[in-house]
Amino acid sequence: MDIFGSWSLLVALSLFVHSPICSSDKAPNYSFMRDAAESPTTSYYDYIIVGGGTAGCPLAATLSQNASVLLLERGGSPYNNPNITRLSAFGAALSDLSEASPSQRFISEDGVINARARVLGGGSALNAGFYTRAGTKYVRNMGWDGGLANESYRWVEAKVAFQPPMGQWQTAVRDSLLEVGIVPNNGFTYDHINGTKFGGTIFDRNGHRHTAADLLEYANPKGITVLLHATVHRILFRTPGTTKPIANGVVYRDRTGQAHRSYLKEGSLNEIIVSAGTLGSPQLLMLSGVGPSAQLQAQNITMVMDQPHVGQGMYDNPMNAVFIPSPIPVEVSLIEVVGITGEGTYVEAAGGENFGGGGSGSSTKDYYAMFSPKATLVESNSMPKLSSAQPFQGGFILEKVMGPLSTGHLELRTRNPNDNPVVTFNYFQNPDDLKRCVRGIQTIERVVQSKAFARYKYADMSFEHLLNLTAGTPVNLRPPRSGPGASLPPSAEEFCQHTVTTIWHYHGGCVVGRVVDGDYKVIGIDRLRVIDMSTVGYCPGTNPQATVMMLGRYMGVKILGERLTKK
């Protein structure tokens, strides 16, 4: 970093990190948040941020300290919705297929059922809550300033990160990981380091979720407007008489279908920032005329700039879970413990009598509803028959392939931003990803067979039987196993291929170095940035949400620093 850049950051940090905010609103009573139908047909701001998600909320809160900010969110508020706020209701929002759902389901061309957020707070309002930082090597490789990154993480953690309760089942998984050699024991930490640890969570001790929307408590109420149910249809550009296009506004529609236009105020430092997520950001660029020319022509979209890399480099970390029925009750828990193996996989666990249910009488079976509404879990003959009033107890031990190395692409389906684009992730296309998955399944086998885990497993139930039990559940729409060996327990390779699901960590489509530069400015266009997971070509750590929230804060501080020094 040059002297000018360092001084810029120092000024920004001194003003916006260490100085207290004189006046702020508390969630959920934000005076600056309202329905888009109440907004004027034309408005002007210094910054227009498209997407009030995991990156957009901290970015908007930061920029509002010294500029006027419009934050446009296509969904509603996460507050006062128990399907979002309660830990015990995890999965209810993901399995809600209504148009009012905070989750919008999509199915990749690979046959894997997935979801994208449609709510203020983005994925942090839907996910399993695990909070962990990226590793120091990852921060270095991304070109981020380590000091500012750490300061930004702490800024996020002061509002939304907590230590999990560490119940008996999660502790047994931790002890099992240590027993099978996933060492050292790193205790409770937000840091990403090899070994076994308890990570953070965005659920507090009362089981209440805290999302990225809570970071808007940092915002200057006089400097920010948050509009809900505001779907951006396209970015506006000024092109005549310029060497390259200049972004200068957006067109969005409210829930009634009424069109509104918001423009940037005069000034070369004012910008439109797209934080619409891994699917939404490349989709919006293409709908606005920035993307592969063939796709734009196919949809009859006027081309602003031929950018063949938009929508390319799409990644999703394959996740495979093994269900472990338990002879004794298991406490309700989401992801708390993780084994960072050093072999290209992460091993995690979640479970409980009411896991994923969101209501009394629900059970672990409801976990599968997140992936397929038709999914049912076949009970083992060696298990006692359960009455309808008795929960199906147990938990999942899962492995996630790091990276990954396999890559896919995104294409427009229609010109309607409410429609999902066509997405292909090409799970296990790279054979190294499949090898990593197999190693992860082998680690799970050792964990299940360990002494530390013995009380949570039926003694006469082999690991092969557990694989067969899990593989018999339709968790995706990929072709089922067929042929003479279909009735036999699957091999680890077959299990990986046929039971692959998502852990919702998909990323790419506007990757740094291809679509945006190191400052997240869209290459070839002025006054336009993309700041979210679509810019990432490799998933940070065991869960990306902490790093995405950090990135929103980090870039907000950097942008304000530039604003101060260039005025």
Side-chain angles (χ1 to χ4, degrees):
M1 181 180 297
D2 59 23
I3 294 174
F4 179 84
S6 299
W7 182 76
S8 169
L9 284 179
L10 182 61
V11 171
L13 281 170
S14 64
L15 286 176
F16 304 111
V17 175
H18 300 295
S19 298
I21 298 173
C22 297
S23 175
S24 62
D25 291 356
K26 296 295 182 183
N29 301 311
Y30 293 138
S31 61
F32 47 79
M33 182 173 72
R34 59 181 181 270
D35 194 279
E38 302 172 18
S39 65
T41 54
T42 305
S43 57
Y44 298 85
Y45 292 87
D46 295 328
Y47 294 100
I48 301 170
I49 300 175
V50 180
T54 317
C57 285
L59 177 62
T62 302
L63 292 176
S64 73
Q65 296 305 310
N66 197 41
S68 61
V69 179
L70 174 63
L71 179 61
L72 298 169
E73 167 53 45
R74 73 188 184 116
S77 167
Y79 301 110
N80 302 316
N81 183 343
N83 286 345
I84 291 174
T85 57
R86 290 191 296 115
L87 182 151
S88 59
F90 173 68
L94 287 164
S95 58
D96 178 2
L97 304 184
S98 71
E99 290 188 4
S101 172
S103 169
Q104 182 177 356
R105 177 169 289 184
F106 71 94
I107 301 172
S108 72
E109 298 301 288
D110 316 275
V112 173
I113 300 167
N114 213 316
R116 58 193 294 209
R118 185 167 51 192
V119 61
L120 188 70
S124 67
L126 302 173
N127 65 23
F130 195 63
Y131 183 97
T132 180
R133 298 181 178 189
T136 54
K137 183 179 179 181
Y138 187 94
V139 171
R140 257 193 329 269
N141 289 343
M142 291 298 293
W144 298 332
D145 177 87
L148 180 55
N150 285 336
E151 189 74 48
S152 299
Y153 275 122
R154 288 191 288 271
W155 182 88
V156 170
E157 288 153 10
K159 292 285 185 185
V160 303
F162 306 88
Q163 183 172 340
M166 305 180 189
Q168 293 183 354
W169 191 77
Q170 289 280 345
T171 299
V173 175
R174 179 203 62 188
D175 294 344
S176 301
L177 287 166
L178 294 170
E179 181 181 325
V180 304
I182 313 301
V183 293
N185 181 358
N186 293 312
F188 167 71
T189 180
Y190 295 143
D191 293 336
H192 181 82
I193 41 182
N194 284 356
T196 295
K197 72 166 188 173
F198 274 100
T201 177
I202 60 174
F203 290 97
D204 63 26
R205 284 303 180 102
N206 295 318
H208 181 85
R209 182 192 294 270
H210 295 261
T211 76
D214 289 15
L215 299 175
L216 292 171
E217 290 185 353
Y218 285 120
N220 171 12
K222 296 180 180 180
I224 186 171
T225 298
V226 176
L227 296 182
L228 303 178
H229 304 292
T231 301
V232 176
H233 281 242
R234 70 181 187 278
I235 301 165
L236 301 174
F237 297 94
R238 193 169 67 242
T239 53
T242 61
T243 56
K244 55 184 178 179
I246 301 173
N248 72 330
V250 299
V251 176
Y252 65 92
R253 292 185 181 273
D254 61 35
R255 67 165 90 205
T256 71
Q258 175 65 46
H260 305 253
R261 290 185 176 228
S262 186
Y263 295 97
L264 294 178
K265 292 180 179 179
E266 288 299 321
S268 61
L269 297 177
N270 300 333
E271 294 177 306
I272 293 168
I273 304 174
V274 180
S275 298
T278 298
L279 268 61
S281 291
Q283 179 185 29
L284 180 59
L285 288 184
M286 286 190 273
L287 290 174
S288 305
V290 179
S293 58
Q295 279 204 58
L296 303 183
Q297 291 168 7
Q299 296 291 337
N300 198 26
I301 296 172
T302 301
M303 187 170 67
V304 174
M305 187 177 74
D306 180 13
Q307 214 321 351
H309 297 296
V310 173
Q312 301 300 306
M314 298 289 295
Y315 306 84
D316 189 21
N317 300 83
M319 189 271 277
N320 295 81
V322 180
F323 179 69
I324 319 295
S326 173
I328 61 175
V330 174
E331 77 268 8
V332 176
S333 63
L334 298 181
I335 308 298
E336 294 180 9
V337 67
V338 60
I340 301 173
T341 67
E343 296 182 341
T345 60
Y346 308 126
V347 178
E348 304 172 357
E353 292 182 355
N354 293 318
F355 174 70
S360 61
S362 57
S363 74
T364 311
K365 294 177 183 178
D366 294 314
Y367 168 88
Y368 288 109
M370 294 182 289
F371 306 113
S372 173
K374 298 180 180 179
T376 56
L377 192 60
V378 180
E379 296 175 10
S380 162
N381 290 331
S382 65
M383 296 171 57
K385 293 299 179 182
L386 302 178
S387 70
S388 59
Q390 182 181 5
F392 194 59
Q393 60 198 17
F396 293 87
I397 302 180
L398 59 93
E399 66 80 30
K400 165 191 166 181
V401 173
M402 67 183 292
L405 301 176
S406 303
T407 182
H409 57 275
L410 175 150
E411 298 177 353
L412 291 177
R413 188 185 306 273
T414 71
R415 294 176 60 174
N416 186 345
N418 294 304
D419 293 339
N420 289 318
V422 180
V423 187
T424 305
F425 291 115
N426 291 320
Y427 298 99
F428 304 121
Q429 180 188 61
N430 188 306
D432 285 344
D433 286 340
L434 184 58
K435 291 176 183 176
R436 290 174 174 182
C437 180
V438 169
R439 288 196 291 267
I441 297 300
Q442 291 168 342
T443 300
I444 293 175
E445 179 178 10
R446 296 197 302 273
V447 166
V448 171
Q449 294 174 344
S450 68
K451 292 180 181 178
F453 196 75
R455 64 194 295 255
Y456 289 105
K457 171 185 174 294
Y458 285 92
D460 62 343
M461 194 175 291
S462 69
F463 189 71
E464 289 74 18
H465 183 85
L466 294 176
L467 291 185
N468 214 29
L469 176 68
T470 307
T473 303
V475 295
N476 59 43
L477 302 180
R478 291 162 78 84
R481 294 171 63 215
S482 59
S487 61
L488 300 175
S491 66
E493 289 85 355
E494 290 175 321
F495 185 84
C496 289
Q497 291 277 15
H498 290 283
T499 69
V500 62
T501 59
T502 184
I503 199 166
W504 311 288
H505 297 171
Y506 52 91
H507 50 282
C510 297
V511 178
V512 169
R514 303 177 197 170
V515 177
V516 299
D517 64 17
D519 291 319
Y520 301 91
K521 296 178 179 180
V522 175
I523 298 168
I525 297 179
D526 282 343
R527 300 170 70 178
L528 180 63
R529 301 195 202 218
V530 179
I531 301 175
D532 58 21
M533 275 288 281
S534 72
T535 64
V536 172
Y538 199 92
C539 189
T542 53
N543 187 301
Q545 74 167 341
T547 300
V548 180
M549 286 189 274
M550 179 280 291
L551 181 61
R553 168 62 175 177
Y554 178 98
M555 286 305 301
V557 171
K558 281 199 69 175
I559 292 169
L560 282 183
E562 295 169 4
R563 191 175 189 88
L564 286 171
T565 56
K566 292 181 180 179
K567 270 192 171 181

